[in-house]
Amino acid sequence: MVAGELVQEHTRAESTGAPDDVGTITGGKAAHELRSGPLVPIDKLDQYTVLESGDEAVNLQKALNSRASEQEIPPDEREAMLPKGGGVGGEEENAKEENKCLETKLYWRRFGVLAIFSLCSLVNSFQWIQYSIITNVFRDYYGVSSSQVDWLSIVYMVAYIPLIFPATWLLDKKGLKLTALMGAGLNCLGAWVKCASVSRDLFGVTMFAQVICSLAQVFILGLPSRIASVWFGPKEVSTACATAVLGNQLGTAIGFLLPPVLVPNTSGDFELMGHNIKVMFYGTAIIASVLFILTVIIFKDRPEMPPSYAQAVLPGSPPEDYSYKQSIINLFQNKAFLLLLVSYGIMTGSFYSVSTLLNQMIMTCYVSQELNAGRIGLTLVVAGMVGSIICGLWLDYTKTYKMTTLAVYILSFLGMVIFTFTLDLKNIYLVFFTAGVLGFFMTGYLPLGFEFGVEITYPESEGTSSGLLNAFAQIFGIIFTLIQGKLTTAYNPLVGNLFLCAWIFLGILLTALIKSELKRNNVNMEAEGKQPLPTGCPKEASTAEMTTATKLENSISFSHETSV
């Protein structure tokens, strides 16, 4: 009888338009519970007296529950809830698509891109320092003051500051290849204009050529982090960035070594001096031209497939609503990045100042030592190149960005103090050693700052963060070079170097205050199913955060390195 009553009640409910969850059972306590409560789960039906009448009631109740469930969820919503691909295996298809989106691959072409860029940066850096290391030669040849020759170096720093914003905008909007072509092309053009300036009354032309080369630098200096991130995998990205910076350092080293050899001080014989300068300029122009052609052939904006999960979760190109202005604002609202900006500016600006004024410092303490001044500069930079590579390998292995940066900063300060107090001891070989120690840590710091900046600002553009770091380096470089130059001229090199020591000590304090968040590294590790590195005081992350890496906003749980 119960089954018959169920059928009659259901028929009445349909004819009167009553909802299916009302009046499905008409008797006893079970009927009351089903009318006033939610649909009865199938696995709970044995709790109700209706089941005592047999299997027929159970089958009918299954049908009614199924019908009511279908009416509760509209068809369009139900379809939206289905896995893409529908039916059996839909979830597997989704998983395959998800894995495909996160598929990564490394290409051999990345080594060609890195090599060509490093050589372009080398030539540009060589052209920056080729005047300063033989200041006395160019001063005599063009009949100008030492301060005017110093401006051939300072112009690199001055040009960078206002042009870094359009240069990084170009990198973000138009891509890596066009930016690299701008750098290589201007580098080549400036080198050829210098060839036309070899005359004693054409100092203005050589200054104009140096301005062109300084414009090339604007497009070159911000690329190491972008090339490393876009082309190299997570286990080699820091080493790749260090190698890219290495090209710039190697150019500085060659700039210290070759000009004193190619253009010796032939006092009074200006014709021979002009010939030697012309040989140096033409050689540089030919090499720059070859590199420009290779840039056209080798460079690409990015590989077909991303090299890391951190790159895979980012869009391949800026979205339509991308705002470069907002990106800049985001960076300046990042307190850790602001501290890094100032500390990086202090360290790199000090390096620029020491490099520019090295000839004057050595010539003040050691008369007629132009060749040794260049060799000391070479020692400083080559030691720094070794330091850069070691620091890059160390970061790839440990990911301890904060602690490594702070340790290198402290050792750079100690190296600067030792160099300052041993410079005037009348022992040129001791200066070689102390300059090597200073360079190992001071120059080795440069790629650390780039990579640390990318980590704490991810997913902001690497070009933008690197560009701002370089801009602050140029600002401090100009200030330090002008002030240290005045102090060295008015007093002695000791006073000028103590000025730098005080600022580097301040940089140590600022670096210690940086709160380290390894954002990019954690995305890569979580995408590989690994726990983020316990680099200090990691924040607790939910299970969903630890297992979801396809969407950036859900995947990142940032770990923190130990604050000192």
Side-chain angles (χ1 to χ4, degrees):
M1 289 296 295
V2 176
E5 290 182 75
L6 283 169
V7 173
Q8 292 175 6
E9 187 65 29
H10 181 61
T11 305
R12 286 198 302 271
E14 285 189 337
S15 64
T16 58
D20 286 340
D21 63 341
V22 178
T24 55
I25 298 178
T26 61
K29 181 179 177 182
H32 172 73
E33 290 181 2
L34 287 175
R35 281 194 298 269
S36 61
L39 292 171
V40 182
I42 295 300
D43 59 343
K44 300 295 183 180
L45 285 175
D46 60 337
Q47 298 176 13
Y48 299 95
T49 57
V50 65
L51 295 182
E52 296 175 0
S53 298
D55 295 337
E56 187 178 355
V58 175
N59 292 336
L60 181 58
Q61 185 62 38
K62 288 181 179 180
L64 295 179
N65 279 354
S66 176
R67 180 184 180 90
S69 298
E70 290 180 359
Q71 290 184 357
E72 279 191 329
I73 304 175
D76 56 339
E77 293 184 16
R78 187 168 64 253
E79 290 175 7
M81 294 171 64
L82 288 174
K84 192 173 180 180
V88 179
E91 293 183 1
E92 294 181 2
E93 292 181 12
N94 279 347
K96 289 180 181 179
E97 287 188 13
E98 188 174 286
N99 290 335
K100 186 176 180 181
C101 292
L102 288 177
E103 189 174 355
T104 62
K105 183 177 180 180
L106 296 176
Y107 295 84
W108 284 103
R109 191 187 193 102
R110 71 191 189 277
F111 296 113
V113 171
L114 181 63
I116 297 303
F117 168 77
S118 297
L119 291 173
C120 287
S121 183
L122 181 153
V123 173
N124 184 258
S125 180
F126 173 82
Q127 295 195 85
W128 163 59
I129 205 66
Q130 66 183 166
Y131 293 99
S132 296
I133 197 60
I134 48 174
T135 299
N136 56 321
V137 174
F138 281 103
R139 180 192 62 206
D140 295 340
Y141 182 76
Y142 285 112
V144 295
S145 65
S146 296
S147 298
Q148 288 175 290
V149 176
D150 287 343
W151 272 98
L152 290 168
S153 172
I154 295 174
V155 69
Y156 261 60
M157 309 174 204
V158 174
Y160 191 90
I161 298 168
L163 295 176
I164 181 54
F165 295 107
T168 52
W169 176 88
L170 182 71
L171 177 60
D172 289 345
K173 298 294 287 187
K174 301 301 180 181
L176 185 61
K177 181 169 184 176
L178 180 59
T179 307
L181 284 174
M182 290 290 292
L186 289 170
N187 210 26
C188 176
L189 178 60
W192 283 108
V193 174
K194 286 183 180 181
C195 296
S197 70
V198 185
S199 178
R200 296 200 64 200
D201 58 346
L202 293 180
F203 179 77
V205 176
T206 207
M207 175 63 79
F208 175 69
Q210 192 73 336
V211 170
I212 297 175
C213 294
S214 68
L215 298 180
Q217 175 215 211
V218 176
F219 297 98
I220 290 174
L221 281 187
L223 295 185
S225 294
R226 171 63 66 91
I227 290 173
S229 296
V230 169
W231 282 95
F232 288 83
K235 294 182 179 180
E236 56 189 12
V237 63
S238 296
T239 305
C241 182
T243 304
V245 174
L246 191 71
N248 189 273
Q249 298 170 358
L250 183 59
T252 304
I254 296 174
F256 281 129
L257 177 65
L258 283 186
V261 175
L262 296 176
V263 189
N265 187 9
T266 56
S267 300
D269 192 348
F270 294 115
E271 184 177 350
L272 178 59
M273 188 180 293
H275 171 75
N276 293 334
I277 293 173
K278 186 177 292 186
V279 168
M280 181 173 67
F281 284 168
Y282 270 99
T284 305
I286 292 171
I287 295 173
S289 301
V290 172
L291 290 174
F292 174 71
I293 296 171
L294 290 175
T295 302
V296 174
I297 298 172
I298 301 297
F299 254 78
K300 289 178 63 177
D301 286 330
R302 60 179 63 246
E304 294 178 4
M305 297 178 63
S308 66
Y309 293 107
Q311 285 295 310
V313 299
L314 295 177
S317 58
E320 294 181 0
D321 60 347
Y322 171 77
S323 171
Y324 177 71
K325 178 181 177 181
Q326 185 59 46
S327 178
I328 296 292
I329 292 173
N330 292 341
L331 291 175
F332 277 105
Q333 289 176 342
N334 187 325
K335 294 180 181 179
F337 184 65
L338 290 179
L339 290 171
L340 181 63
L341 276 180
V342 178
S343 61
Y344 183 87
I346 290 172
M347 177 63 77
T348 312
S350 298
F351 169 72
Y352 290 161
S353 182
V354 170
S355 300
T356 301
L357 301 173
L358 184 62
N359 174 271
Q360 297 178 41
M361 288 190 282
I362 299 299
M363 295 298 292
T364 300
C365 300
Y366 303 91
V367 181
S368 302
Q369 293 289 336
E370 293 94 343
L371 279 176
N372 276 331
R375 290 166 183 165
I376 290 171
L378 175 67
T379 302
L380 185 146
V381 178
V382 169
M385 290 163 55
V386 176
S388 294
I389 294 298
I390 291 176
C391 289
L393 292 170
W394 175 258
L395 285 185
D396 279 332
Y397 179 73
T398 65
K399 302 299 181 183
T400 53
Y401 291 84
K402 165 73 176 289
M403 298 307 298
T404 303
T405 302
L406 182 60
V408 171
Y409 218 116
I410 293 172
L411 293 171
S412 297
F413 170 73
L414 295 176
M416 188 66 202
V417 171
I418 294 171
F419 176 78
T420 298
F421 287 100
T422 58
L423 179 62
D424 198 18
L425 293 181
K426 305 306 178 183
N427 187 337
I428 194 73
Y429 300 106
L430 180 61
V431 178
F432 272 93
F433 174 76
T434 56
V437 173
L438 175 63
F440 182 87
F441 296 110
M442 181 177 279
T443 315
Y445 172 84
L446 304 184
L448 292 179
F450 278 151
E451 283 297 287
F452 196 19
V454 173
E455 284 290 340
I456 63 179
T457 61
Y458 179 87
E460 300 296 340
S461 169
E462 303 91 347
T464 305
S465 61
S466 299
L468 288 174
L469 287 171
N470 279 320
F472 271 67
Q474 311 300 329
I475 292 171
F476 279 96
I478 293 170
I479 296 171
F480 288 171
T481 302
L482 293 175
I483 294 178
Q484 188 185 10
K486 291 290 184 182
L487 293 174
T488 300
T489 303
Y491 300 97
N492 54 57
L494 176 66
V495 177
N497 287 330
L498 286 175
F499 167 78
L500 291 184
C501 289
W503 277 96
I504 294 174
F505 182 77
L506 175 62
I508 294 174
L509 301 179
L510 295 176
T511 302
L513 295 175
I514 296 175
K515 185 178 181 180
S516 177
E517 294 179 316
L518 306 184
K519 301 178 181 180
R520 180 184 62 178
N521 178 65
N522 286 349
V523 170
N524 287 324
M525 295 200 69
E526 290 178 6
E528 295 172 0
K530 299 178 182 179
Q531 182 79 11
L533 286 176
T535 50
C537 306
K539 289 184 178 180
E540 293 184 0
S542 65
T543 304
E545 285 178 327
M546 297 304 297
T547 57
T548 305
T550 55
K551 291 184 179 179
L552 183 61
E553 62 270 20
N554 293 330
S555 66
I556 307 175
S557 61
F558 304 129
S559 63
H560 297 263
E561 291 185 274
T562 305
S563 297
V564 176

